[in-house]
Amino acid sequence: MPSARLASTHRPVLELRSARKKKSRRRKGFRSGLAEMATPSYRFEYRTGQSFRFKADQAQAQERPISDLRSSDRYAPAKSPMSIFEYNGSALIAMVGKNCFAIASDRRLGVQLQTIATDFQRIYKVHDKLFLGLSGLATDAQTLYQRLVFRHKLYQLREERDMKPETFASLVSALLYEKRFGPYFCQPVIAGLGDEDKPFICTMDSIGAKELAKDFVVAGTASESLYGACESMFKPDMESEELFETISQALLSSVDRDCLSGWGGHVYVVTPTEIRERILKGRMD
């Protein structure tokens, strides 16, 4: 017969099972609480007593008694974080005319709402009849441009000729798709004159999905405003001067409606015989 000391240390099986269930429930509750805290849309912190703290992204924590909070305030979702494509702000547009094309961009470089520079270059010359615009994250844009210049120079050495716009667009698309699992945060805009001086324009997303157009293409944080302005102002077969006026008005009116781009514009108008580069003055705010 077991001693009294040993008998006291043993608990009935039902008590052990209930204790395990309580412990399991406590663990599940703790994990669900952690999951709720980690949810990006809702970040709450309950504190002891009658106070309640609501933490939202980009905002300071405020403490007020629960009785002072409306139900909508208690469970209001946090603001969504800014996309990495909007971090520096940008506006890019390319438009075709009669045996010519124009490509334009804004000049602002910012860190979200803070302006860093007002003369930033987003349009690059590949050769006399081919231009590249890069919107998105500025550091990735400069890195991508250097890699594309390297590839184009290798092509010139091997083929002893300049690359056609269609070929260059395929090169950019392949280079972006190659890095699809860790992409460059850029949206390229390609504009050039092909065979028989036929204008070619194209844009693509960050993994190289091409979008061809016969009238205009846009990219950047001001793309929604640019679409509306271009739809209302574009006319087919415009001469170079009329094309310059159209693309300039579309750019300036669009960046005024986007707080992440602006500070004037940079416009190139390319014809079979010349390249015209002009700087636009816009709102400086």
Side-chain angles (χ1 to χ4, degrees), residues 88-89 106-111 114-120 122 138 260:
N88 296 122
D106 70 319
R107 306 186 73 201
R108 178 185 181 272
L109 172 67
V111 175
Q114 179 184 1
T115 300
I116 303 299
T118 59
D119 57 352
F120 189 70
R122 286 196 173 85
L260 298 176

Side-chain angles (χ1 to χ4, degrees), residues 94-97 201 212-217 231 234 236 238 243:
M95 194 175 287
V96 302
I201 58 172
L212 305 176
K214 296 181 180 179
D215 44 9
F216 59 85
V217 292
E231 288 284 357
F234 176 80
M238 288 185 287
L243 180 61

Side-chain angles (χ1 to χ4, degrees), residues 66-129:
I66 291 180
S67 58
D68 293 348
L69 291 176
R70 297 174 299 180
S71 58
S72 59
D73 293 335
R74 296 179 194 176
Y75 304 104
K79 294 179 181 178
S80 59
M82 183 175 288
S83 168
I84 190 63
F85 291 95
E86 301 173 0
Y87 185 73
N88 296 122
S90 56
L92 264 174
I93 174 174
M95 194 175 287
V96 302
K98 186 176 181 180
N99 294 330
C100 63
F101 71 88
I103 183 169
S105 75
D106 70 319
R107 306 186 73 201
R108 178 185 181 272
L109 172 67
V111 175
Q112 296 187 4
L113 300 179
Q114 179 184 1
T115 300
I116 303 299
T118 59
D119 57 352
F120 189 70
Q121 180 183 4
R122 286 196 173 85
I123 301 174
Y124 304 95
K125 176 182 173 183
V126 181
H127 58 76
D128 288 342
K129 294 185 177 182

Side-chain angles (χ1 to χ4, degrees), residues 89-93 104-106 122 135 219-222 226 251 255 258 261-262:
S90 56
L92 264 174
I93 174 174
S105 75
D106 70 319
R122 286 196 173 85
S135 69
T221 56
L226 285 168
L251 178 69
V255 297
D258 178 39
S261 58

Side-chain angles (χ1 to χ4, degrees), residues 31-40 42-46 55:
R31 289 172 184 169
S32 64
L34 287 179
E36 184 180 1
M37 291 286 290
T39 304
Y42 303 94
R43 297 187 180 181
F44 304 112
E45 180 182 352
Y46 291 95
K55 288 186 176 180

Side-chain angles (χ1 to χ4, degrees), residues 3-272:
S3 63
R5 184 178 179 182
L6 289 176
S8 63
T9 59
H10 290 280
R11 288 189 294 176
V13 177
L14 291 178
E15 289 185 11
L16 286 173
R17 288 179 180 174
S18 62
R20 287 173 184 171
K21 287 181 180 179
K22 288 179 182 178
K23 193 173 182 180
S24 176
R25 282 198 293 268
R26 282 199 298 269
R27 286 178 179 172
K28 288 180 181 178
F30 178 71
R31 289 172 184 169
S32 64
L34 287 179
E36 184 180 1
M37 291 286 290
T39 304
S41 299
Y42 303 94
R43 297 187 180 181
F44 304 112
E45 180 182 352
Y46 291 95
R47 306 186 67 185
T48 58
Q50 293 297 317
S51 62
F52 172 85
R53 175 175 288 186
F54 170 68
K55 288 186 176 180
D57 293 337
Q58 310 297 333
Q60 293 181 347
Q62 296 179 350
E63 289 187 2
R64 288 187 291 173
I66 291 180
S67 58
D68 293 348
L69 291 176
R70 297 174 299 180
S71 58
S72 59
D73 293 335
R74 296 179 194 176
Y75 304 104
K79 294 179 181 178
S80 59
M82 183 175 288
S83 168
I84 190 63
F85 291 95
E86 301 173 0
Y87 185 73
N88 296 122
S90 56
L92 264 174
I93 174 174
M95 194 175 287
V96 302
K98 186 176 181 180
N99 294 330
C100 63
F101 71 88
I103 183 169
S105 75
D106 70 319
R107 306 186 73 201
R108 178 185 181 272
L109 172 67
V111 175
Q112 296 187 4
L113 300 179
Q114 179 184 1
T115 300
I116 303 299
T118 59
D119 57 352
F120 189 70
Q121 180 183 4
R122 286 196 173 85
I123 301 174
Y124 304 95
K125 176 182 173 183
V126 181
H127 58 76
D128 288 342
K129 294 185 177 182
L130 179 60
F131 283 76
L132 169 70
L134 293 172
S135 69
L137 191 63
T139 51
D140 278 6
Q142 292 174 340
T143 303
L144 181 59
Y145 170 67
Q146 291 172 358
R147 293 196 64 185
L148 291 172
V149 167
F150 172 73
R151 295 287 187 94
H152 183 255
K153 287 183 177 179
L154 286 180
Y155 183 90
Q156 285 178 319
L157 288 172
R158 185 172 61 249
E159 302 289 335
E160 297 183 353
R161 61 191 173 97
D162 289 330
M163 194 177 289
K164 295 180 180 179
E166 296 85 355
T167 309
F168 187 75
S170 299
L171 168 65
V172 176
S173 178
L175 186 61
L176 290 174
Y177 190 72
E178 178 185 329
K179 299 288 184 181
R180 62 191 178 277
F181 298 115
Y184 294 107
F185 297 115
C186 297
Q187 292 179 299
V189 170
I190 300 163
L193 292 176
D195 295 333
E196 300 178 356
D197 295 326
K198 183 180 179 181
F200 170 87
I201 58 172
C202 161
T203 186
M204 58 191 73
D205 63 6
S206 59
I207 59 171
K210 289 190 288 187
E211 178 186 350
L212 305 176
K214 296 181 180 179
D215 44 9
F216 59 85
V217 292
V218 301
T221 56
S223 58
E224 293 181 1
S225 301
L226 285 168
Y227 269 121
C230 293
E231 288 284 357
S232 62
M233 297 180 186
F234 176 80
K235 294 188 299 183
D237 295 330
M238 288 185 287
E239 297 294 338
S240 59
E241 280 302 317
E242 187 180 5
L243 180 61
F244 166 75
E245 290 291 337
T246 303
I247 197 171
S248 301
Q249 292 295 332
L251 178 69
L252 291 177
S253 63
S254 299
V255 297
D256 285 347
R257 292 163 174 82
D258 178 39
C259 63
L260 298 176
S261 58
W263 283 84
H266 200 174
V267 183
Y268 289 89
V269 179
V270 181
T271 66

